[in-house]
């Protein structure tokens, strides 16, 4: 065990983990986060707190993580390199650890042109792989990015990274995953999977290179709420492939929400049987309340207990 | 070369509202090539300003000169004879360097007529594209001659990000993903292993930060 992360403990014990996602609000009231954290804590092993998702200003992921902790949940704070340079990122890492965060997901972040401040100056001082390496060096070498030694406690984070099996160039995706693992990623959360065939291919390549033995791969799923949402994801979200079959299933459904849940549950059951998949990450954007239902129907409830 | 484009006429006109007589100075360098600030554009701008002011009943007198380059003291000095006492303002059609050089040399109200955009190249007649971010430490040898600092929307040095699809950047379906280009090129060259190396954080101190950068060539200095 490298860290005190509950997520790491469960994964290292071989449990098929479940994580969920909470989007912090566009205001300073934490009640929604607390409510969701209390609702989800028995159904997921850890909760991702997004970092100004889609480049829209929201309550910070670290602050949200504090509310999750207080509500009895295990936070995974997301950290993008879009808004902060290496000085701010390392400072936030120290601060987050001091507040009890034990998991961090290192991301490049959506481009600011998609958000509510498109005229902002982005930072991109470092990229996500460089951030992974910085978090690892802080932890394992007790060194800042500049090479200077930490004179006190080092932040011991369980380090996460993202992988998108649906982006291009496809053949390079697995190599990039390997690069992230070489940089220090302990666990990987993937982009939402709708195209199972492509994901299976991706996982075959992952196994061929033995990457599933070097990092825990947690597969992303997303319950669709409507046919319109499915079509939108298919047509307008970069780096996402939604097969026509799924969109038409949603279109034909009498109760699209129920159908979305059913598809998601099927996907989870399928993913559980893929060698090398260590868990699922449920991204129910603006629909966090549905996560307990999905977890139960997928046969993943109750969640294992750890001390 | 430096690529620039004209500011809207109304904006330029607004900057010299109080002037009676102005000097309009073009540049024979980059901005001539990108058709933004050469002799022809200088004449057109001067004429347009005169017409606008005539319509407003506030006539404007213009003197037009195009220097070989506005980023060289030698040529900027040649402007001295035109900068007479009755000149109320100077409009520069050079890049920002030229505008600053004129302002440094002459005690007049100097205004830019162009928006200086980037270091780019002519893709086809009338189309220019940015190719270098002037980062101060070129890494093109690591990326097959394609610059991720400026051509990747997130300046990723270990790309491609998760938004790259069908060869396009997530930010704009018109923009090729720089990392797809880099991947394709290195694949053709049989050098994909270059992409497996983890590139460390870039030394941005060579870039914009820390005040103006300076290049000194002792071997060619005169004094
Ligand atoms: S690496 Fe730097 S110097 Fe080289 S092309 Fe890119 S921005 Fe210009
Ligand atoms: S899609 Fe390609 S060019 Fe655009 S930000 Fe990602 S890696 Fe950079």
């Amino acid at each position: 065990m490298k860290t005190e992360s509950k997520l790491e403990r469960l994964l290292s014990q071989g449990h098929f983990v479940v994580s969920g996602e909470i989007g912090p609000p566009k205001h300073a009231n934490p009640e929604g986060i607390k409510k969701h954290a209390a609702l989800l804590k028995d159904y997921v092993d850890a909760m991702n707190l997004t970092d100004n998702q889609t480049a829209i200003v929201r309550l910070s992921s670290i602050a949200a993580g504090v509310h999750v902790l207080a509500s009895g949940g295990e936070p995974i704070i997301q950290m993008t390199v879009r808004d902060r340079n290496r000085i701010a990122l390392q400072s936030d890492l120290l601060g987050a650890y001091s507040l009890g965060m034990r998991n961090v997901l290192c991301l490049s972040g959506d481009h600011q042109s998609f958000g509510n401040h498109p005229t902002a100056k982005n930072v991109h001082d470092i990229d996500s792989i460089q951030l992974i390496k910085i978090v690892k060096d802080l932890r394992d070498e007790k060194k800042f990015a500049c090479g200077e030694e930490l004179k006190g406690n080092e932040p011991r984070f369980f380090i996460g990274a993202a992988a998108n099996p649906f982006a291009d160039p496809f053949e390079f995706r697995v190599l990039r995953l390997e690069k992230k693992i070489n940089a220090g990623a302990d666990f990987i959360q993937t982009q939402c999977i709708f195209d199972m065939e492509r994901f299976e291919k991706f996982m075959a390549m992952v196994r061929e290179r033995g990457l599933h033995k070097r990092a825990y791969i947690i597969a992303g799923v997303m319950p669709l709420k409507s046919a319109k949402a499915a079509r939108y994801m298919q047509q307008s979200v970069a780096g996402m492939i939604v097969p026509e079959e799924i969109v038409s299933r949603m279109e034909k459904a009498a109760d699209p929400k129920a159908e979305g849940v059913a598809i998601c549950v099927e996907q989870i059951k399928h993913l559980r049987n893929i060698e090398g998949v260590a868990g699922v990450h449920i991204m129910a954007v603006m629909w966090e309340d549905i996560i307990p239902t999905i977890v139960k129907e997928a046969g993943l409830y109750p969640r294992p207990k750890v001390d | 070369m430096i690529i620039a484009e004209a500011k809207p006429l109304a904006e330029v006109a607004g900057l010299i509202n109080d002037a009676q007589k102005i000097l309009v100075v073009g540049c024979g360098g980059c901005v001539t090539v990108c058709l933004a600030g050469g002799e022809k554009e200088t004449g057109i701008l001067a004429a347009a300003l005169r017409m606008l002011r005539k319509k407003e009943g506030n006539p404007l007198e213009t003197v037009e000169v195009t220097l070989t380059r506005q980023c060289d003291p030698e040529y900027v000095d040649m402007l001295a004879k035109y900068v007479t006492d009755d000149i109320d303002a100077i409009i520069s059609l050079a890049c920002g360097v030229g505008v600053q050089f004129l302002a440094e040399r002459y005690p007049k109200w100097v205004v830019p007529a162009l928006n200086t955009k980037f270091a780019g190249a002519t893709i086809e007649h009338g189309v220019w594209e940015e190719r270098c971010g002037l980062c101060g430490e070129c890494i093109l040898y690591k990326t097959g001659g394609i610059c991720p600092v400026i051509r990747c929307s997130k300046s990723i040095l270990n790309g491609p990000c998760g938004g790259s699809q069908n060869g396009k950047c997530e930010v704009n379906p018109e923009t090729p993903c720089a990392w797809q280009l880099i991947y394709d090129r290195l694949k053709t060259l049989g050098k994909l292993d270059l992409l497996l190396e983890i590139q460390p954080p870039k030394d941005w101190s060579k870039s914009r930060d820390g005040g103006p950068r300076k290049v000194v060539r002792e071997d060619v200095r005169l004094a």
Side-chain angles (χ1 to χ4, degrees):
Chain A
M1 294 279 298
K2 299 175 191 166
T3 72
E4 301 153 34
S5 153
K6 175 184 153 198
L7 184 65
E8 180 183 12
R9 211 167 323 145
L10 287 171
L11 284 163
S12 70
Q13 289 170 6
H15 293 291
F16 187 83
V17 304
V18 180
S19 57
E21 193 161 288
I22 299 181
K26 291 163 77 175
H27 52 66
N29 185 337
E31 291 314 315
I33 303 170
K34 289 184 183 164
K35 195 190 96 200
H36 282 136
L39 178 77
L40 298 187
K41 75 177 167 54
D42 294 329
Y43 295 90
V44 301
D45 306 310
M47 303 171 209
N48 281 49
L49 287 317
T50 53
D51 178 11
N52 295 314
Q53 196 174 7
T54 59
I56 288 172
V57 178
R58 293 166 186 279
L59 189 141
S60 90
S61 59
I62 296 171
V66 173
H67 297 302
V68 167
L69 267 186
S71 311
E74 162 100 343
I76 301 174
I77 48 164
Q78 300 197 172
M79 229 186 217
T80 72
V81 297
R82 175 194 56 226
D83 310 320
R84 285 163 290 187
N85 69 5
R86 65 193 84 173
I87 300 173
L89 286 164
Q90 291 180 96
S91 160
D92 281 352
L93 284 164
L94 298 181
Y97 190 78
S98 79
L99 289 164
M101 309 299 133
R102 295 297 179 258
N103 312 288
V104 62
L105 186 74
C106 306
L107 303 168
S108 52
D110 298 309
H111 195 263
Q112 77 277 3
S113 57
F114 296 120
N116 60 357
H117 290 73
T119 58
K121 184 173 201 292
N122 64 23
V123 182
H124 298 300
D125 171 29
I126 56 172
D127 62 34
S128 60
I129 289 184
Q130 292 161 349
L131 178 61
I132 294 167
K133 178 85 167 47
I134 286 175
V135 185
K136 182 178 160 60
D137 287 351
L138 282 169
R139 182 186 72 193
D140 297 345
E141 312 291 328
K142 274 191 96 160
K143 281 205 167 114
F144 289 108
C146 61
E148 196 181 301
E149 205 180 312
L150 269 82
K151 290 286 175 351
N153 288 29
E154 74 281 14
R156 304 204 57 79
F157 282 107
F158 190 44
I159 307 168
N164 185 358
F166 311 103
D168 290 320
F170 179 62
E171 326 83 76
F172 193 66
R173 287 293 142 188
V174 175
L175 299 181
R176 181 154 150 93
L177 172 65
E178 184 162 354
K179 228 174 143 175
K180 289 188 170 180
I181 295 171
N182 290 344
D186 301 309
F187 71 98
I188 304 294
Q189 289 178 319
T190 78
Q191 170 71 291
C192 323
I193 299 158
F194 292 106
D195 185 345
M196 225 18 110
E197 214 172 294
R198 178 130 157 181
F199 183 67
E200 293 257 28
K201 252 189 241 161
F202 175 81
M203 283 307 296
M205 288 158 80
V206 163
R207 287 192 300 270
E208 212 170 284
R209 300 185 78 85
L211 301 180
H212 61 309
K213 301 224 163 82
R214 297 179 54 209
Y216 301 103
I217 296 176
I218 301 173
V221 291
M222 176 186 277
L224 292 164
K225 238 180 174 172
S226 65
K228 212 175 124 206
R231 188 65 79 193
Y232 175 78
M233 306 263 275
Q234 183 188 50
Q235 289 172 349
S236 310
V237 178
M240 182 94 83
I241 299 179
V242 184
E244 187 53 38
E245 182 205 325
I246 289 196
V247 182
S248 72
R249 245 183 95 173
M250 289 299 289
E251 275 167 354
K252 286 189 198 118
D255 181 349
K257 281 188 177 176
E259 188 71 2
V261 170
I263 294 174
C264 189
V265 168
E266 276 169 37
Q267 284 167 333
I268 295 176
K269 288 184 173 161
H270 187 138
L271 289 164
R272 265 185 99 165
N273 293 320
I274 299 177
E275 190 195 339
V277 174
V280 281
H281 175 53
I282 307 171
M283 290 171 263
V285 186
M286 313 278 289
W287 197 18
E288 286 94 341
D289 300 356
I290 197 65
I291 294 177
T293 309
I294 295 171
V295 174
K296 272 195 258 174
E297 289 186 13
L300 292 167
Y301 184 81
R303 301 304 310 143
K305 291 272 175 278
V306 278
D307 24 294
Chain B
M1 69 181 148
I2 292 178
I3 309 298
E5 67 181 354
K7 277 184 182 292
L9 181 66
E11 186 183 341
V12 180
L15 296 171
I16 49 144
N17 260 337
D18 302 334
Q20 303 302 309
K21 183 173 177 183
I22 61 166
L23 188 57
V24 189
V25 191
C27 177
C30 309
V31 294
T32 292
V33 184
C34 70
L35 312 176
E39 196 170 353
K40 187 169 148 228
E41 293 78 22
T42 303
I44 294 171
L45 176 65
L49 287 169
R50 284 195 309 269
M51 267 158 61
L52 193 75
R53 289 282 290 266
K54 198 167 157 199
K55 239 173 49 192
E56 289 170 359
N58 178 18
L60 178 75
E61 198 181 327
T62 63
V63 180
E64 296 136 47
V65 192
T66 297
L67 301 177
T68 306
R69 279 197 296 281
Q70 282 187 38
C71 56
D72 230 325
E74 206 188 314
Y75 299 109
V76 172
D77 280 345
M78 291 177 183
L79 201 60
K81 63 173 184 268
Y82 300 97
V83 189
T84 47
D85 284 349
D86 59 339
I87 293 288
D88 301 316
I90 303 176
I91 292 186
S92 166
L93 285 90
C95 72
V97 177
V99 181
Q100 293 187 54
F101 241 42
L102 295 193
E104 249 167 72
R105 174 72 176 75
Y106 301 105
K108 295 281 183 189
W109 173 236
V110 181
V111 299
L114 305 184
N115 290 322
T116 307
K117 307 294 271 192
F118 48 75
T122 314
I123 301 301
E124 60 183 77
H125 196 72
V127 180
W128 295 274
E129 194 169 86
E130 184 165 24
R131 283 298 153 90
C132 171
L134 315 174
C135 79
E137 191 174 41
C138 197
I139 54 156
L140 286 176
Y141 64 94
K142 293 179 178 176
T143 55
I146 292 149
C147 176
V149 174
I150 211 65
R151 296 179 70 182
C152 163
S153 302
K154 299 175 186 172
S155 292
I156 297 173
L157 300 187
N158 289 287
C161 82
S164 168
Q165 214 170 32
N166 305 321
K168 300 298 179 200
C169 175
E170 68 166 35
V171 175
N172 183 343
E174 309 272 290
T175 309
C177 167
W179 277 99
Q180 176 78 52
L181 298 177
I182 293 169
Y183 175 83
D184 293 344
R185 171 120 173 118
L186 290 178
K187 194 172 174 187
T188 316
L189 295 175
K191 284 186 185 297
L192 272 183
D193 48 315
L194 275 178
L195 293 189
L196 297 180
E197 273 170 44
I198 296 173
Q199 296 305 328
K202 193 167 167 63
D203 178 359
W204 294 110
S205 71
K206 309 254 168 54
S207 182
R208 171 194 58 85
D209 296 328
R213 290 174 276 176
K214 203 178 258 182
V215 173
V216 181
R217 280 275 306 268
E218 291 298 347
D219 56 331
V220 295
R221 285 182 90 173
L222 298 176

